Amino acid sequence: MHRTPEHPRYRALVAAAAGAAVVLTAVAPPAHAAPSAPDEITYELPAPTGPYDVGTADLRLVDDERTTPWTDDERELAVSVWYPAKPRWWDEPATHVDQDVGDLFTEYQTGQRFEGVDGEGAPVSAFTGARADRSAGPLPVLLYSPGAAVPRGFGTSIVADLASHGYAVVTVDHTGEAPVRFPDGRLDDGERHWEDEPDVIPTLLETRLADTRFVLDTVEEASEKGWRDADGRRLPKGLAKALDPSAAGMFGMSLGGATSLHAMYADDRIDAAADLDGSVEFTGDEDFPERFPAAREGLDRPFLFMGGSMERDGGLTPNTHRTFDDWGRMWDNSTGWKRDVNLPEARHFSFTDFQAVLPQVQDGLGMSDEQAEGAIGTAEDPLRLHSSQRAYVQAFFDRHLRGEPQPILEADSPEHPDARLIF
């Protein structure tokens, strides 16, 4: 049996945002036995596949015209920018996720921390603050929005891969949802008592849409000479001149995917958007279609659905526009280019770094196969499935931001046996 998380906010929020009954609750230890704490459990993320080395930099942005929901705090965002880089010998390697952020996230999901997993020590194939590689040419800008209550760091693998192929990717933590470590060292633990908020998903989505507009505004400003963040940090050398915000896309997992599609509807600066396993409309909210019309009216620019499978009606159902009413409505009412890629063996958290990480830490955490499969599915080769995700997302943006033909978007590919195109 999968253990139900003790934190009611995450139980209700993640289930609603994901449309999934089992997410990271699957990584909880069996109820009959608490795992012994290992000295250290290590893992590695898959290396990027592109021709460029990768750089990354953390920034703090402040929108002084807004406050964070449920508080009177000014709206501040922790973001990271990932880009093609020319590292020098003194540039420090990046690490995966702040240890406290990872521990708190897991505690909120499962009711306890797994402090034996060394998220801060896990290497990432990127260098902090490295100068931009100008040989990559103008860099199309992508925004990445994580799932509801999920820290942005758990999308690192796909983000770094896109940067290695010549994109500048800005990852955003939507403050107040998940633990956030700001560049100055402050930790926001994400505790906002959402269980008392009856309108939580629309509130989060509205906040995320405003965050998206603000980040896009900031990217445009940052592409100009002399820009600094809220603490006076400059972009790494050469990056400002390389940014091309005239070619912009957005993608995300779960509620981050829904954010991407609704943001494209609301902001014509976004040229293409991809939704990784995220519902775009939420039942029980009668005003949702009026507040977020994209779900019913559709989209006029390119978008990508990518889904796994979920337990429903006693069995597994693929998440596609043919099986989900809200995806189906958006699909039928959209006039722009569209694709639906299904990975039948994937589950909801397959669309995060956990697809690559859980197989490496499962034994050390005392997780059963059933628990791991509830989070990331039953793929024969988990890394191959993860590689296919990266390939399809890159192909989507290569086609629509660079105008490059992509055969894998036209027919099922023998190179990606875990994926199916759904027309």
Side-chain angles (χ1 to χ4, degrees):
M1 292 290 292
H2 295 150
R3 178 173 156 189
T4 301
E6 300 298 327
H7 205 291
R9 177 184 70 188
Y10 282 79
R11 182 172 63 246
L13 174 60
V14 178
V22 179
V23 289
L24 265 190
T25 58
V27 308
H32 61 271
S36 58
D39 293 334
E40 182 179 72
I41 302 173
T42 60
Y43 61 89
E44 295 181 358
L45 293 180
T49 60
Y52 302 107
D53 289 324
V54 177
T56 185
D58 295 336
L59 303 166
R60 185 174 75 95
L61 310 181
V62 175
D63 185 350
D64 56 14
E65 297 183 359
R66 294 188 295 141
T67 59
T68 291
W70 308 289
T71 76
D72 294 325
D73 299 335
E74 65 182 0
R75 188 61 178 167
E76 58 177 347
L77 302 175
V79 307
S80 298
V81 57
W82 301 75
Y83 55 93
K86 276 190 171 296
R88 293 158 291 191
W89 65 267
W90 59 83
D91 289 323
E92 293 289 336
T95 57
H96 184 208
V97 65
D98 177 86
Q99 195 66 42
D100 288 331
V101 167
D103 289 344
L104 282 170
F105 171 67
T106 310
E107 180 180 6
Y108 294 161
Q109 287 285 349
T110 69
Q112 71 174 61
R113 295 188 180 200
F114 289 136
E115 296 178 338
V117 178
D118 185 14
E120 203 164 275
V124 175
S125 298
F127 296 87
T128 300
R131 59 182 175 174
D133 187 344
R134 295 303 304 279
S135 72
L139 306 178
V141 175
L142 302 177
L143 270 57
Y144 173 78
S145 179
V150 180
R152 72 189 191 279
F154 290 116
T156 293
S157 178
I158 191 169
V159 164
D161 192 59
L162 286 163
S164 78
H165 287 277
Y167 289 93
V169 189
V170 182
T171 63
V172 183
D173 266 333
H174 301 284
T175 313
E177 292 188 26
V180 178
R181 177 74 73 183
F182 286 96
D184 63 3
R186 286 179 300 119
L187 178 69
D188 184 311
D189 62 13
E191 284 289 330
R192 294 295 180 261
H193 306 291
W194 294 344
E195 63 268 27
D196 298 325
E197 172 60 66
D199 200 28
V200 60
I201 294 298
T203 298
L204 291 181
L205 187 51
E206 285 179 337
T207 303
R208 285 162 166 256
L209 296 184
D211 288 346
T212 299
R213 288 191 296 271
F214 174 61
V215 172
L216 284 171
D217 290 344
T218 302
V219 169
E220 292 177 345
E221 295 173 4
S223 66
E224 301 173 359
K225 184 178 180 179
W227 179 87
R228 296 173 183 264
D229 79 349
D231 298 318
R233 299 179 188 85
R234 295 182 183 272
L235 290 177
K237 184 177 181 180
L239 181 56
K241 291 183 179 179
L243 296 175
D244 181 12
S246 69
M250 187 170 180
F251 70 108
M253 170 262 182
S254 191
L255 189 60
T259 301
S260 300
L261 299 187
H262 287 288
M264 185 169 70
Y265 179 93
D267 194 323
D268 60 11
R269 291 176 294 180
I270 301 174
D271 300 308
D275 177 355
L276 312 186
D277 215 45
S279 299
V280 295
E281 187 174 357
F282 301 95
T283 58
D285 185 341
E286 296 180 356
D287 296 330
F288 192 92
E290 287 72 36
R291 296 169 70 178
F292 307 98
R296 299 295 176 92
E297 295 182 11
L299 299 166
D300 61 1
R301 276 159 285 161
F303 72 91
L304 173 73
F305 283 141
M306 181 180 288
S309 297
M310 65 174 289
E311 294 183 11
R312 189 168 65 175
D313 299 329
L316 283 174
T317 300
N319 301 341
T320 76
H321 71 275
R322 293 182 178 178
T323 58
F324 275 4
D325 290 343
D326 63 332
W327 277 20
R329 278 190 293 271
M330 179 174 280
W331 182 274
D332 291 341
N333 294 322
S334 293
T335 58
W337 187 101
K338 55 198 174 188
R339 286 293 183 273
D340 186 347
V341 179
N342 185 247
L343 305 165
E345 302 305 319
R347 302 296 179 269
H348 194 53
F349 270 78
S350 293
F351 300 94
T352 68
D353 292 342
F354 291 103
Q355 181 67 25
V357 171
L358 280 189
Q360 300 178 61
V361 304
Q362 175 185 345
D363 290 343
L365 293 176
M367 293 167 55
S368 69
D369 289 342
E370 179 187 11
Q371 292 168 329
E373 289 170 2
I376 64 168
T378 56
E380 177 184 353
D381 186 340
L383 286 180
R384 185 182 69 187
L385 186 147
H386 183 65
S387 176
S388 292
Q389 287 182 47
R390 302 201 300 186
Y392 278 94
V393 172
Q394 181 203 333
F396 171 73
F397 288 119
D398 280 352
R399 170 166 180 155
H400 295 292
L401 299 185
R402 290 177 164 149
E404 299 174 356
Q406 299 295 324
I408 66 170
L409 297 176
E410 305 305 326
D412 289 345
S413 169
E415 296 180 1
H416 300 284
D418 300 296
R420 301 286 185 271
L421 293 181
I422 309 298
F423 293 102

